[in-house]
């Protein structure tokens, strides 16, 4: 049976969205191809405007990276949109007005308030009509099921019991995938509406200055609504803490009753328990109790975990975000957008916590090092898992029935670093083994990414529920295509760019500081490169991998040291 492709479901739903929203929500949009498509639609709907459309497309393509700043583009865009607006009003053709809005979206800057005023209301009206799409999901799921089974949609029902079961399973899968895709895009559409409304009132942001309006609306809307999302999450966590406290009291009463019952039975002994202490604000109890195996088992499962079993574990607080951003920007000047998207998770929070995220970028872009430095500056400790070598589903722990039993990796990280919210790095997650002999890392990971299930994760070694809901998961990957749909549904994808040649001088200081650190030296003992050395590095490194730049600088430093010894 074919596997349900979450990307395919997302593409199907996106194709059913209204024109303007579809343009703003298409993260894979290719601007040149989209402009050609708009020109073709204008030629079909308003043939009289074909010359104006062709002039707009040609002028915009020739303008380069910032077309909205080019006077010729502004003139061509204005002439085309005015003609389409007039045609829409005179002939009562709303689609012509929609095409004019698309032209605006693809040739105005993100900080253009006048353009935002133009598209704010139409985009809001399109978003208001989205709930009607839900009515079409069942028919779409049935059509995809028929295609998936290689059968026409008008079969006569001559199916055996196995075919019926396969059809029902596939139909349920497509229905769930389409509903999830609709929910995701509907939420994104709300972010676009908010961004357009705020921009239409004259608001601005640094992230909008060098971005096309069609590219700017979604990320700007996400940034605007993130505090609301965080507050909703905090409210949910508060509600859960109240429920957990009530549950803990009930468990304590049950233990007291059990102790009374056992004490009344001659010769009966209680299993070994480690009673939990009461946490204070800023602390949680990760492992409340562990029942040791019987006397015939010599292994002591709790050895090495005494500091977290039944004891409150502190939550690392959020530091000064401005200073943190400055430190990271010094080391990664080419990845400011990536840094800002990560740090947005910490705004308004008391304790460190990140949404499950995968950083996607080319090899050598510094993804793993960014996560490592982020953990260093936050002071929360880093637990690194190399997905290319991890043994199956062991990340979720190994059952105590086995000789090599161990708790889940997050429990190990908490015990090692002494905080309940450590940062776990899953490096090269897309290269994880897909074999199922020992279970897959992906499958073992899923329940720990959801806060609800992570708050009471059944650890197979301790054989009790542990609270992993405050652990942060950051992954790295060169691409997300190999990752299964259920995992991608739980991971936010953030792109990590590779540096280019213009970033060289900004990168040299942190690279030299890193070289000094590996040698155990103070950075002041490695002077900055002189003009000739800088020229050599610039010729050898046109951009790309930070690892390659580091090796080149190391060679230059070594050559400098050898030359100084000769003299």
């Amino acid at each position: 049976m074919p596997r349900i492709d979450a990307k395919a479901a997302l593409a199907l739903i996106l194709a059913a969205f209204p024109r303007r929203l579809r343009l703003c929500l298409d993260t894979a949009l290719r601007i040149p191809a989209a402009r050609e498509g708009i020109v073709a639609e204008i030629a079909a709907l308003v043939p009289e405007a074909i010359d104006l459309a062709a002039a707009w497309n040609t002028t915009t393509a020739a303008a380069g990276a910032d077309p909205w700043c080019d006077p010729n583009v502004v003139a061509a865009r204005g002439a085309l949109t005015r003609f389409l607006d007039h045609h829409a009003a005179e002939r009562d053709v709303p689609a012509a007005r929609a095409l004019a809005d698309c032209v605006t979206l693809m040739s105005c800057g993100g900080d253009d308030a006048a353009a935002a005023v133009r598209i704010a209301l139409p985009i809001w009206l399109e978003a208001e009509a989205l709930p009607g799409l839900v009515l079409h999901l069942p028919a779409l799921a049935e059509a995809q099921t028929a295609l998936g089974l290689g059968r026409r949609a008008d079969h006569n029902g001559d199916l055996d019991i196995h075919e019926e079961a396969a059809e029902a399973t596939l139909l349920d899968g497509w229905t769930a995938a389409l509903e999830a895709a609709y929910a995701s895009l509907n939420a994104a559409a709300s972010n676009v509406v908010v961004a357009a409304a705020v921009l239409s009132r004259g608001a601005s942001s640094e992230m909008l200055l060098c971005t096309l309006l069609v590219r700017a609306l979604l990320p700007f809307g996400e940034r605007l609504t993130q505090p609301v999302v965080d507050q909703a999450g905090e409210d949910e966590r508060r509600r859960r803490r109240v429920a957990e406290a009530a549950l803990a009291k009930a468990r304590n009463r049950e233990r007291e009753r059990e102790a009374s019952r056992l004490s009344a039975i001659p010769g009966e002994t209680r299993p070994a328990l480690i009673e939990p202490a009461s946490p204070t604000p800023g602390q949680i109890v990760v492992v409340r109790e562990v029942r040791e195996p019987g006397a015939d088992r010599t292994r002591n499962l709790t050895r090495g975990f005494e500091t977290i079993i039944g004891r409150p574990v502190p939550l690392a607080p959020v530091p000064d975000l401005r200073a943190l951003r400055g430190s990271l920007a010094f080391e990664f000047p080419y990845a400011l957008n990536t840094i800002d998207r990560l740090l947005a998770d910490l705004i308004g929070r008391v304790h460190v916590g990140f949404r499950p995220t995968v950083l996607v970028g080319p090899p050598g872009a510094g993804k793993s090092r960014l996560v490592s430095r982020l953990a260093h500056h936050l002071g929360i400790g880093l637990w690194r898992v190399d997905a290319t070598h991890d043994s199956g589903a062991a990340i979720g722990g190994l059952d105590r029935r086995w000789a090599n039993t161990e708790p889940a990796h997050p429990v190990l990280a908490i015990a090692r670093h002494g905080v309940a919210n450590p940062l776990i790095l899953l490096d090269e997650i897309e290269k994880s083994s897909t074999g199922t002999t020992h279970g897959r890392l992906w499958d073992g990971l899923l329940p720990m990414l959801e806060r609800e299930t992570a708050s009471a994760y059944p650890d197979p070694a301790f054989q009790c529920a542990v609270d992993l809901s405050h652990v942060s998961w950051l992954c790295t990957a060169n691409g997300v295509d190999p990752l299964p749909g259920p995992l991608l549904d739980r991971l936010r994808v953030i792109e990590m760019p590779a540096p280019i040649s213009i970033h060289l001088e900004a990168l040299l200081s942190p690279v030299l500081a890193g070289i000094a650190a590996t040698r155990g030296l103070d950075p002041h003992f490695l002077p900055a490169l002189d003009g000739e050395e800088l020229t050599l590095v610039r010729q050898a490194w046109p951009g790309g991998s930070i690892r390659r730049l580091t090796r080149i600088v190391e060679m230059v430093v070594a050559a400098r040291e050898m030359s100084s010894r000769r003299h």
Side-chain angles (χ1 to χ4, degrees):
M1 182 187 301
R3 184 174 66 87
I4 305 300
D5 189 343
K7 285 188 176 180
L10 202 67
L12 287 169
I13 297 298
L14 182 61
F17 267 49
R19 183 190 303 272
R20 302 172 187 86
L21 274 178
R22 185 170 67 246
L23 203 63
C24 296
L25 296 175
D26 188 358
T27 55
L29 183 70
R30 296 181 178 179
I31 300 297
R35 282 202 310 267
E36 295 286 349
I38 293 298
V39 170
E41 290 187 66
I42 292 173
L45 184 68
V46 190
E48 304 92 325
I50 182 60
D51 290 339
L52 291 174
W56 164 71
N57 185 32
T58 303
T59 307
T60 306
D66 302 332
W68 56 88
C69 301
D70 191 309
N72 295 325
V73 174
V74 174
R77 181 186 72 225
L80 178 57
T81 54
R82 283 193 296 272
F83 188 94
L84 292 173
D85 287 343
H86 179 76
H87 184 88
E90 183 181 43
R91 307 284 181 86
D92 191 21
V93 185
R97 165 65 191 236
L99 287 171
D101 289 342
C102 292
V103 170
T104 299
L105 284 165
M106 288 193 294
S107 50
C108 288
D111 59 341
D112 192 331
V117 169
R118 175 189 176 95
I119 56 95
L121 180 59
I123 281 182
W124 177 74
L125 292 174
E126 286 187 342
E128 285 289 291
L130 289 181
L133 281 178
V134 176
L135 302 176
H136 301 285
L137 295 185
L140 188 57
E142 290 179 1
Q144 291 302 121
T145 300
L147 288 172
L149 294 175
R151 198 174 57 242
R152 295 180 308 145
D154 59 348
H155 64 82
N156 297 321
D158 299 329
L159 302 175
D160 61 29
I161 187 171
H162 299 294
E163 290 176 323
E164 289 180 355
E167 180 178 33
T169 301
L170 192 56
L171 180 60
D172 289 344
W174 270 112
T175 300
L178 292 172
E179 289 175 349
Y182 169 78
S184 173
L185 288 172
N186 190 33
S190 298
N191 289 335
V192 170
V193 170
V194 169
V198 171
L199 292 176
S200 70
R201 302 297 296 174
S204 186
S205 171
E206 291 182 3
M207 69 178 293
L208 305 175
L209 297 180
C210 300
T211 310
L212 272 176
L213 185 58
V214 70
R215 297 282 198 195
L217 288 173
L218 182 57
F220 186 54
E222 289 176 345
R223 175 176 292 188
L224 291 171
T225 57
Q226 190 59 50
V228 178
V229 174
D230 288 342
Q231 185 58 51
E234 185 61 34
D235 292 342
E236 174 61 21
R237 288 190 292 274
R238 189 179 299 112
R239 182 199 64 77
R240 190 170 295 149
R241 284 196 295 269
V242 172
E244 288 174 351
L247 181 60
K249 289 182 179 178
R251 286 174 175 170
N252 286 335
R253 288 195 296 268
E254 179 62 28
R255 279 197 298 268
E256 290 171 0
R257 286 195 293 268
E258 179 68 9
S260 299
R261 185 187 69 81
L262 291 174
S263 62
I265 303 175
E268 189 74 23
T269 58
R270 296 183 62 185
L273 291 178
I274 300 177
E275 296 292 343
S278 299
T280 59
Q283 299 178 325
I284 67 165
V285 176
V286 176
V287 187
R288 292 196 165 272
E289 62 180 27
V290 175
R291 295 179 179 269
E292 297 282 14
D296 58 320
R297 303 290 296 276
T298 59
R299 191 171 62 248
N300 187 348
L301 294 174
T302 62
R303 184 175 298 132
F305 300 96
E306 294 85 357
T307 57
I308 67 169
I309 297 177
R311 298 177 181 273
V313 182
L315 291 163
V318 174
D320 180 356
L321 292 182
R322 181 174 299 179
L324 173 59
R325 184 183 188 273
S327 299
L328 293 174
F330 169 73
E331 298 183 60
F332 306 92
Y334 59 94
L336 292 181
N337 185 56
T338 304
I339 293 169
D340 287 343
R341 291 191 65 185
L342 286 171
L343 296 187
D345 286 356
L346 304 181
I347 296 175
R349 294 180 61 97
V350 177
H351 303 110
V352 174
F354 294 95
R355 296 159 56 190
T357 300
V358 55
L359 298 180
V360 180
K367 302 182 293 294
S368 302
R369 178 165 172 77
L370 173 59
V371 177
S372 174
R373 299 303 294 164
L374 181 62
H376 169 76
H377 290 301
L378 288 170
I380 57 176
L382 180 71
W383 183 273
R384 185 178 181 276
V385 177
D386 187 345
T388 59
H389 298 104
D390 191 78
S391 55
I395 192 170
L398 297 173
D399 196 284
R400 70 166 58 173
R401 292 174 297 175
W402 306 108
N404 58 344
T405 182
E406 68 175 11
H409 280 223
V411 177
L412 299 176
I414 292 169
R416 171 177 294 180
H417 298 295
V419 293
N421 53 344
L423 180 57
I424 296 185
L425 165 63
L426 295 175
D427 212 10
E428 298 186 305
I429 190 172
E430 85 282 13
K431 297 182 177 66
S432 175
S433 171
T434 58
T436 58
T437 304
H438 302 289
R440 298 191 305 175
L441 180 145
W442 296 339
D443 298 331
L445 184 62
L446 292 178
M448 294 186 286
L449 296 181
E450 294 280 5
R451 275 195 170 272
E452 186 174 353
T453 51
S455 63
Y457 179 76
D459 187 89
F462 288 160
Q463 293 191 359
C464 67
V466 296
D467 187 353
L468 308 178
S469 59
H470 297 273
V471 175
S472 295
W473 298 86
L474 296 183
C475 315
T476 66
N478 299 138
V480 297
D481 289 341
L483 299 180
L487 184 59
L488 274 178
D489 288 343
R490 292 163 172 82
L491 292 174
R492 169 184 54 174
V493 178
I494 296 180
E495 291 187 3
M496 177 77 174
I500 56 179
S501 57
I502 61 173
H503 298 121
L504 175 59
E505 294 189 13
L507 286 169
L508 285 177
S509 292
V511 167
L512 284 168
I515 294 172
T518 58
R519 296 182 175 189
L521 300 174
D522 186 289
H524 295 94
F525 284 96
L526 284 183
L529 303 187
D530 60 27
E532 184 179 351
E533 292 170 336
L534 183 58
T535 300
L536 289 173
V537 173
R538 185 175 284 114
Q539 291 173 349
W541 188 79
S545 172
I546 296 292
R547 286 193 291 268
R548 184 166 183 269
L549 173 61
T550 301
R551 288 196 296 269
I552 293 171
V553 175
E554 285 175 340
M555 292 170 61
V556 170
V557 170
R560 172 203 293 171
E561 292 172 344
M562 291 181 63
S563 176
S564 65
R565 292 192 191 103
R566 293 194 196 102
H567 296 84

